Amino acid sequence: MPLQLPSRGIVDAMLRRVLMQDKKPTDQQSTWALSEPGLPLRRAVMGALAIATSMLGIHWLWTLLQPNGVGGLEWLVIAAFSVTFSVSCVAFWTMLAGILLRLAGRHPVTLRRELPSAADAPPLAKTALVMPAYNEDMADVVHCLMSTLRSLHETGESDWFDCFLLSDSSDPAQREREREGMARLQRHFPDGPRLYYRARDENTGRKPGNIRDFCERWGAGYEYMIVLDADSRMTGDAILTLVRRMVANPQAGIIQTVPLPVGQRTVLGRFQQLAASLHARHIANGLAFWQGNSTNYWGHNAIIRIADFQACCGLSPLPGRPPLGGDIMSHDYVEAGLMRRHGRSVYVLPEIGGSFEGMPGNFVDDLKRERRWCQGNLQHLRLLTGRGWRPVTRLNFLLGGLAYVTAPLWLMMIGAGVLDAVLTTGDGRWVSAATSAPQSVINLVGLSLIILFLPRLIGIALAVLDNDNAGRRLALLRGSLLELGFGILRSPLMMVLYTGFILRILAGRPARWDTSLRGRRRIPALQAWRLGGPVAGGTLVVALVVAITAPRLLPWLLPALAGPMLFPLFLQVTSLLAPAWLPATPAESRRRVPMNPAAVGRTLPPPAVTLCDTPREDYRPMPLQPLSTPPSST
C-alpha cells in the first residue's frame, strides 16, 4: 500500500485538538509571544512514530537473517543496524513533521496560523552585533558587514545597535588590516550603528572565550547580542524581528534563525547551498515542533539575552587532554543545554528569513570543518551522564554524536557482509538469505528508501511547485535531482571519511581550530589523487575481491563502493567553477541576499576616519559552569 500524506484538513483538526488541550491565557497577550501547547504530547507522538518505524525495520532484518540461523556476526549486524536505522527514523519523522506543518500553514512552536503583527510589535532594545574574528580575510569580512549594516541602516532603526569586531588574530599586520577595515566601514555609517574594534592579546578559550570577554567587559551596556560569524549576512528586517521576539518573550535565552549558505560558486558550493535551501527549513520546522523551547543553538545568526548568557553559559573545559578533553569544540550545543539547565528557553524560528552564511568551496576545506565538528560532537557524548541536563538536551548530545558514530557502524555492517562472502563458500549467507526471503528484502529495502528519500522528494516537489519559482522550475528540478544523485554518491564516501576521523580522534590526534577557508580554491588533479588515492585504491581492492569470490554480492555493494572509488574525481571536479546550468538558490535568484556592490570586486572603501574608541568598560565576571554537576540552586 503506498504511503499517503494526511490531508490538510486532518492535520488542522489534530493541531486544533492540541491547542485546545493546552490553551494558556498568555497566548492572547501578543502575536509575538511564544508558547508550546501540547509539547509533551508532540514529543510522545514523535517518539512513538520513530520507535515503531525502527522496530518495523529491525523486524524485517530479523526475518531476513533468521532462516539461516542468527549467530554472533548476525547479532552484531542487527545491533549496528538498530542504532543507525533508528537515527534515520528520527530524522525522517522530524523532516516529515516540518513538511506537514508547512502544508498546514502552522507555526512549528505555537501551532498557530497568524504571524507576528506590526500592530502590537514590541519596542526595540539596545543590542550589540558581535563578530568574532580569527585571522580572517578582511575583504570578505567587510563585504559581509557592509551588506548587513547597509540593510539594517535602511530600516531607520540602526540607532539601537552597535557593532563589534572581536579580533583574536595573532599577526600584528592582520590586526592593522582589521582596524583599517573597521575605520573605513565607520565612514559609511556616521549616524549609526556605531562600530568598535577590540583585539585580544591571546586566543584564550577560542571563540567561546572571545564572546565571554565581550560579555564581561561590555555586556552590561546591552540587553541582547546577535552573534555573527565572519561570513554571516543578515537583513535588517531579520535583525529587528529577532530583537522584537526577544523583547516579547522574557523566558527566552536564545532565539536561533536558520542561516542558509550562499555566495559560493563552485560545484560543491552550489550543490550544498541548493540542498540547504530545499530542506533546511523543513528540518528546522520539525525540530522546533517536537523540541519546542529546548532546541539547539548553532553558534551564529542568533540573538542571545546577555544577562542569561553570562549567568548560565560560562564553559568549563572537559577533564583530560584533547581531543576528547580540554576546550569544547562544538560549544554552541553545550551553551544551549546550559540555558535549559537553568530554566531558560532556546527556540529555533525557521520563519525568520534573511539569515545567510558562507561555506567552504571545496571538499578539502569542508572536511577540515567536518573533522572539527566530529571531535566536538564526540566530546558531547561525555556529557550524557552529567547531572542536571534536560532530557531533550541529552537527546541532542546523543544524536549529535551518533551523526558521526553511525559511520563506522554502517562500515562494520558492510564489512561483515563482505567478510562472510569471502570466508564462506558460494556468495555468503547474505545473498543466500536475500534469495530465500525475497519479500523480506523488498520490505526492508522499500522502507529504507522511503526513510531516506521520501521527505527529500517532497521537499523538491514543493520547491518546484512554489509560485515564487515560476519561470525557473525546470532549472530548479534539474539542479535538485542532480544534488540528490550527488548526495547518494557522497554518503558512503562520508561514511569512510567519518570513520577515519573517529579513529584519529581515538588515537589521540585532535583536530585544529584554524581559520575557516571559505574562498573558491581549486584542487589540482595531482593533489586530488594524492589525497583521495588511498581511499579509492582500497575500495577498488574490495570490489575486485568480492567480484572474484562472491560475484552475486557485488551488485548489492556497488552503491556503497561507487562514491569512495570516485573520491579523487570528487575532490577535483567539485572544486571547479559551477556551470551556468547548475542553478543558484532561490534566495540568490530572487536577490533576497543582502549584498554590498562596493565590495563585490573585493575592494574596500577609500581611507577614512579614525575608528571609535571602545565603550567604557563595566566589568562583570562570567562564572564558569560545571558540566558534570549543576549548581546547587538549580
Side-chain angles (χ1 to χ4, degrees), residues 399-548:
L399 292 175
L402 289 179
Y404 293 92
V405 172
T406 52
L409 294 180
W410 276 112
L411 197 61
M412 183 180 68
M413 285 190 290
I414 294 172
V418 172
L419 187 64
D420 174 74
V422 170
L423 297 181
T424 58
T425 58
D427 293 298
R429 285 173 289 180
W430 306 102
V431 174
S432 300
T435 304
S436 61
Q439 188 58 50
S440 296
V441 174
I442 293 172
N443 292 339
L444 183 58
V445 172
L447 180 62
S448 299
L449 291 177
I450 289 173
I451 294 297
L452 294 174
F453 297 114
L454 179 62
R456 292 185 173 273
L457 291 174
I458 296 174
I460 292 171
L462 291 176
V464 171
L465 296 176
D466 192 328
N467 290 332
D468 287 343
N469 293 322
R472 59 187 304 270
R473 286 175 172 150
L474 185 60
L476 187 60
L477 178 62
R478 178 180 63 241
S480 302
L481 294 178
L482 285 172
E483 186 281 323
L484 186 63
F486 171 75
I488 292 172
L489 289 174
R490 185 176 183 264
S491 293
L493 170 60
M494 299 307 295
M495 172 186 68
V496 174
L497 297 175
Y498 285 167
T499 301
F501 293 167
I502 292 174
L503 292 177
R504 283 196 286 270
I505 289 169
L506 294 179
R509 297 169 57 186
R512 297 175 57 185
W513 196 327
D514 295 325
T515 302
S516 297
L517 299 174
R518 306 178 180 94
R520 182 167 62 86
R521 187 168 66 90
R522 181 174 178 178
I523 304 298
L526 185 61
Q527 183 184 8
W529 281 99
R530 179 174 59 82
L531 295 174
V535 172
T539 308
L540 182 60
V541 169
V542 172
L544 291 174
V545 170
V546 172
I548 295 171

Side-chain angles (χ1 to χ4, degrees), residues 6 8-19 41 45 111:
R8 178 168 175 165
I10 295 175
V11 173
D12 280 349
M14 293 169 60
L15 294 179
R16 279 196 299 269
R17 184 171 300 175
V18 171
L19 285 168
L41 177 59
V45 169
L111 302 184

Side-chain angles (χ1 to χ4, degrees), residues 182-362:
M182 290 297 287
R184 291 176 172 179
L185 277 172
Q186 180 71 77
R187 177 179 182 272
H188 287 270
F189 303 100
D191 301 324
R194 289 165 294 277
L195 277 75
Y196 301 108
Y197 174 76
R198 189 275 284 134
R200 285 202 302 172
D201 293 331
E202 295 183 5
N203 182 25
T204 305
R206 299 187 174 91
K207 179 181 174 180
N210 198 346
I211 296 293
R212 178 186 175 192
D213 180 81
F214 165 79
C215 291
E216 290 179 332
R217 294 175 184 271
W218 299 292
Y222 303 91
E223 290 287 332
Y224 315 114
M225 62 178 175
I226 294 178
V227 180
L228 304 172
D229 267 358
D231 58 359
S232 294
R233 277 178 274 178
M234 297 186 72
T235 63
D237 287 341
I239 291 171
L240 298 187
T241 301
L242 282 175
V243 176
R244 290 192 166 110
R245 278 290 196 185
M246 265 294 193
V247 172
N249 293 278
Q251 79 281 10
I254 301 175
I255 297 179
Q256 173 75 64
T257 66
V258 182
L260 298 179
V262 293
Q264 190 56 256
R265 291 184 171 85
T266 63
V267 172
L268 178 67
R270 281 288 171 85
F271 276 142
Q272 293 190 339
Q273 288 166 179
L274 189 57
S277 69
L278 293 172
H279 310 303
R281 292 196 188 280
H282 294 151
I283 296 170
N285 265 348
L287 289 173
F289 172 72
W290 66 266
Q291 294 188 356
N293 60 358
S294 302
T295 53
N296 263 326
Y297 164 48
W298 301 319
H300 58 94
N301 293 44
I303 189 169
I304 298 173
R305 194 179 303 273
I306 293 179
D308 289 348
F309 191 81
Q310 280 195 268
C312 306
C313 297
L315 288 182
S316 301
L318 286 172
R321 300 176 58 184
L324 294 179
D327 291 336
I328 296 178
M329 302 293 275
S330 296
H331 57 91
D332 35 21
Y333 277 38
V334 182
E335 288 161 347
L338 288 170
M339 280 282 189
R340 290 300 299 133
R341 195 169 79 175
H342 287 79
R344 310 305 294 154
S345 295
V346 182
Y347 297 102
V348 169
L349 300 183
E351 78 277 7
I352 300 178
S355 179
F356 305 98
E357 63 176 337
M359 61 166 297
N362 62 67

